[in-house]
Amino acid sequence: QARAEKISGVISVNEPGNKQAPRFFLGRTAAGNLLRLRHDLPRDLAKELETLAAREPLPYDLKDPPREQFPIMHALRRHGSVVEDYRGPAYVFAKPIPRVGGVVLVEPQHASRLHPALATLGPELIHRQPCLAVVEDGCAVSVCYSARTGPRGVEAGVETAPPYRGKGHALRATAAWARAIQQRGLVALYSTTWDNVPSLAIAKRHELRLYGEDWHVR
């Protein structure tokens, strides 16, 4: 049976910088769907989207697109151009993570140690803790940091400098980050897009549990 729980209009996403929220967000899970709409949507559009989301059945296979995808996109395009349409799996680190060697904590005072390809992360380190990194050639070349932090769970963000990709560094960094989150008594979360093959491989190698899909439209 379809069920969509709505939360009051949102203004920004839970990330440093208070980036504007997407116009439409639907979290899809086997237990129910969670709808969020941006606070400034016209009332008639919001009502239409609420009706469409309420009709969305619980997913049998999260890889399948939402049944109401096209009516929802049509309604949003009537309101304005779609600049981003994001769908991707959401995972949880369901098992305790063992200790990972060769990974270091990167705190704000260590920003200069980031590989130049990761330098834009430096000013955000104070908001991204814990941030765990694999070091090679004197630089932090692969990092896993806290992309979004909530009262009960934290979601991972992962970046690896291009010359060091494909070497398993991101796998180690994410494991160390997840262990740090679990040791704080919080739930470690991980999400990506359906077409991000390297990121999906990390989820598979860690045996993460798929619990839902994020779909947002700007």
Side-chain angles (χ1 to χ4, degrees):
Q1 182 179 357
R3 180 167 66 89
E5 178 185 349
K6 180 183 178 296
I7 294 181
S8 57
V10 292
I11 298 173
S12 62
V13 296
N14 180 21
E15 294 182 17
N18 294 319
K19 183 179 178 182
Q20 187 182 47
R23 290 185 291 165
F24 174 90
F25 171 87
L26 188 66
R28 303 169 67 209
T29 77
N33 300 323
L34 176 65
L35 173 67
R36 290 175 182 259
L37 300 175
R38 203 169 69 199
H39 71 101
D40 58 352
L41 290 187
R43 185 182 297 273
D44 58 342
L45 174 61
K47 288 292 185 183
E48 182 177 1
L49 293 171
E50 288 174 14
T51 298
L52 291 169
R55 295 201 321 230
E56 180 63 36
L58 302 184
Y60 176 76
D61 185 343
L62 286 165
K63 289 185 180 180
D64 293 337
R67 189 187 67 181
E68 301 298 325
Q69 178 180 15
F70 292 112
I72 287 170
M73 294 296 289
H74 180 66
L76 288 165
R77 287 193 174 101
R78 291 202 316 269
H79 172 250
S81 299
V82 170
V83 297
E84 184 181 40
D85 178 12
Y86 172 109
R87 283 185 57 223
Y91 300 94
V92 60
F93 286 80
K95 300 178 181 179
I97 303 298
R99 181 180 175 82
V100 182
V103 181
V104 301
L105 181 66
V106 180
E107 297 182 302
Q109 63 268 30
H110 304 143
S112 62
R113 301 180 189 176
L114 292 169
H115 186 279
L118 308 179
T120 55
L121 179 62
E124 299 181 355
L125 282 174
I126 191 170
H127 303 293
R128 300 295 196 180
Q129 295 301 309
C131 176
L132 281 298
V134 174
V135 175
E136 271 201 12
D137 303 322
C139 295
V141 300
S142 182
V143 297
C144 184
Y145 54 86
S146 299
R148 299 181 182 89
T149 301
R152 293 183 292 176
V154 187
E155 186 167 273
V158 188
E159 295 184 37
T160 302
Y164 297 90
R165 292 174 183 170
K167 299 182 178 181
H169 296 329
L171 191 69
R172 291 166 56 201
T174 51
W177 173 87
R179 177 179 170 83
I181 296 301
Q182 290 177 345
Q183 288 183 322
R184 297 182 181 194
L186 299 171
V187 178
L189 304 171
Y190 182 91
S191 66
T192 184
T193 57
W194 290 114
D195 59 357
N196 190 332
V197 176
S199 188
L200 292 171
I202 290 174
K204 183 176 181 180
R205 288 286 302 276
H206 283 314
E207 299 181 343
L208 303 189
R209 179 167 60 83
L210 176 68
Y211 70 88
E213 182 199 53
D214 298 326
W215 177 31
H216 75 235
V217 183
R218 294 188 180 278

